[in-house]
Amino acid sequence: MADMNAMSATQFPGFAELDAALADLRQGKLVAIPTETVYGLAADASNPDAVKQIFSLKGRPADHPVIVHIAGAEQLPDWASQVPDAAWQLAEAFWPGPLTLILPKPPRVTSLVTGGQETVGIRAPAHPLTHELLRQFGGGLAAPSANRFGHISPTTAEHVRGEFGHDCPRVLDGGACHVGVESTIVSLIGDTPKLLRPGGIPREAIEDLLGQTLEHHQSSKTAQIRASGLLDSHYAPRTPLWAGSLEQVHLAALQENQQGHKVALIALGSSNHLPEVLHTQCLPAEPEAYARLLYATLRSLDGQGFDTLLLQMPPDHPAWLAVRDRLTRAAHRHL
Ligand code: TXA
Ligand code: MG
């Protein structure tokens, strides 16, 4: 994150379109924006008609709330009716950065943004170009990930264009996303803080700061909270994705191959020991580097006409929490 904060907005190709993007947003149009996690599909959060366009372009059900993006913690009172100490502490420690806080919604915030709920998700993204956009915009930008509902989140400007084709709004090109998986979502509603979605900020870092463990809601079935990132099926390629141990995916790959199916294997680390007949793509055995490449890899393999993608699941270790969460939801079948 440090490298990204040190970069300047002017270094990105989208900087040339910053003024045009601001004008679009002020006119109620959508703009796709880079963040350090994934690209977002942004609209002026205070303009109901603009926010509605997000839902129609994404094909997102109206009861799924979107996150409000702001320049920094000083804007928290504009978007939350109460800001508890824990929120100030977390914002101070992790903003701008990949952390979303769920706080009580003030009446003036449209319920279109919150999917009809009485709470609102707020985050200050770290990408220098979007930080500058937000600073000049002054208000909040409602922005879900810039993909069709349920599909893989985009981590480059090109992915966003591929996702929406002719319907694509202006895309501010901020290069490839540095984190690669979405923000960590922490709810500060109620007596104990809750982890609604693991993400770019490690759970342990938040727990250390708050001096409290986070309750973790792992599934939409138990969470009772309408958060699309919590749906059991999400972040998915269109090609069937099967996940399992190396032995399981290897065996499945050989069986599928024998039946004449075209399969790709996504392995962890080196693939020296895998048969050369299989199309194998290796992802780094280190969680942050893996996260950065994951969605681009799935998206690219999705476009290559495979019958099945077989993915070796990373180890069940806290450092892999966010990646394993996304893979669990992206997979159509667990071997
Ligand atoms: O990293 C990110 O968070 C990216 C970038 C663009 O900021 N955004 C993102 O947005 O992942 P989206 O809409 O794809 O996922 C946001 C998640 C959804 O699961 C949504 O339901 C949840 O945040 N969310 C938003 N407001 C909420 C609320 N009031 N209560 C519970 N969940 C909420
Ligand atoms: Mg999303």
Side-chain angles (χ1 to χ4, degrees):
M1 202 51 43
D3 348 336
M4 181 160 272
N5 287 336
M7 290 181 84
S8 137
T10 56
Q11 288 172 257
F12 299 95
F15 183 73
E17 289 181 68
L18 196 63
D19 290 345
L22 278 166
D24 285 353
L25 291 165
R26 288 185 179 127
Q27 284 167 32
K29 293 186 187 160
L30 301 182
V31 175
I33 56 169
T35 84
E36 73 281 29
T37 60
V38 301
Y39 275 70
L41 186 63
D44 179 352
S46 67
N47 178 339
D49 289 332
V51 173
K52 277 184 201 159
Q53 289 178 51
I54 297 178
F55 287 83
S56 53
L57 184 55
K58 272 197 70 132
R60 182 176 174 116
D63 64 354
H64 288 283
V66 294
I67 296 169
V68 175
H69 296 70
I70 56 177
E74 59 286 353
Q75 284 173 286
L76 266 173
D78 298 343
W79 296 95
S81 62
Q82 286 162 42
V83 184
D85 287 347
W88 291 115
Q89 283 172 25
L90 290 170
E92 162 90 7
F94 300 116
W95 282 2
L99 175 68
T100 297
L101 300 175
I102 307 295
L103 293 167
K105 175 187 106 66
R108 66 179 173 279
V109 174
T110 169
S111 58
L112 287 168
V113 164
T114 67
Q117 302 189 63
E118 287 308 308
T119 59
V120 56
I122 309 169
R123 100 170 178 100
H127 194 289
L129 186 55
T130 289
H131 180 74
E132 184 56 22
L133 179 79
L134 284 163
R135 214 185 51 76
Q136 293 193 31
F137 185 66
L141 293 177
S145 52
N147 51 275
R148 305 262 183 202
F149 186 63
H151 195 222
I152 308 168
S153 300
T155 53
T156 67
E158 212 36 59
H159 293 166
V160 181
R161 294 191 192 102
E163 196 72 21
F164 298 115
H166 290 305
D167 299 329
C168 196
R170 181 187 304 280
V171 184
L172 270 191
D173 189 345
C177 300
H178 189 74
V179 176
V181 292
E182 298 79 355
S183 60
T184 304
I185 305 182
V186 173
S187 168
L188 296 174
I189 307 290
D191 298 336
T192 49
K194 295 167 197 68
L195 178 66
L196 298 189
R197 181 177 72 181
I201 299 285
R203 171 187 194 162
E204 297 73 28
I206 297 167
E207 292 181 334
D208 285 351
L209 186 94
L210 296 179
Q212 241 178 322
T213 52
L214 293 173
E215 255 178 69
H216 185 188
H217 290 276
Q218 274 189 304
S219 151
S220 54
K221 292 183 188 106
T222 52
Q224 303 284 307
I225 291 166
R226 284 166 294 168
S228 60
L230 298 181
L231 290 182
D232 294 334
S233 167
H234 215 71
Y235 313 102
R238 299 200 163 91
T239 313
L241 174 72
W242 299 355
S245 67
L246 182 60
E247 293 69 37
Q248 287 169 327
V249 293
H250 187 185
L251 186 65
L254 293 175
Q255 285 168 350
E256 291 295 299
N257 213 21
Q258 267 168 15
Q259 290 174 32
H261 297 160
K262 200 177 156 209
V263 297
L265 206 149
I266 307 163
L268 194 63
S270 117
S271 69
N272 296 340
H273 45 295
L274 294 169
E276 282 177 20
V277 288
L278 297 175
H279 177 99
T280 304
Q281 178 121 9
C282 294
L283 282 173
E286 188 278 312
E288 286 181 17
Y290 187 107
R292 203 172 293 139
L293 298 175
L294 174 62
Y295 290 153
T297 302
L298 290 178
R299 192 175 279 273
S300 147
L301 290 172
D302 207 11
Q304 292 177 39
F306 289 104
D307 296 305
T308 315
L309 307 178
L310 290 154
L311 180 138
Q312 177 188 0
M313 206 62 175
D316 188 0
H317 180 274
W320 289 95
L321 185 67
V323 161
R324 283 177 56 95
D325 171 83
R326 301 309 187 274
L327 291 174
T328 303
R329 296 172 203 281
H332 302 82
R333 187 174 148 195
H334 293 273
L335 297 169

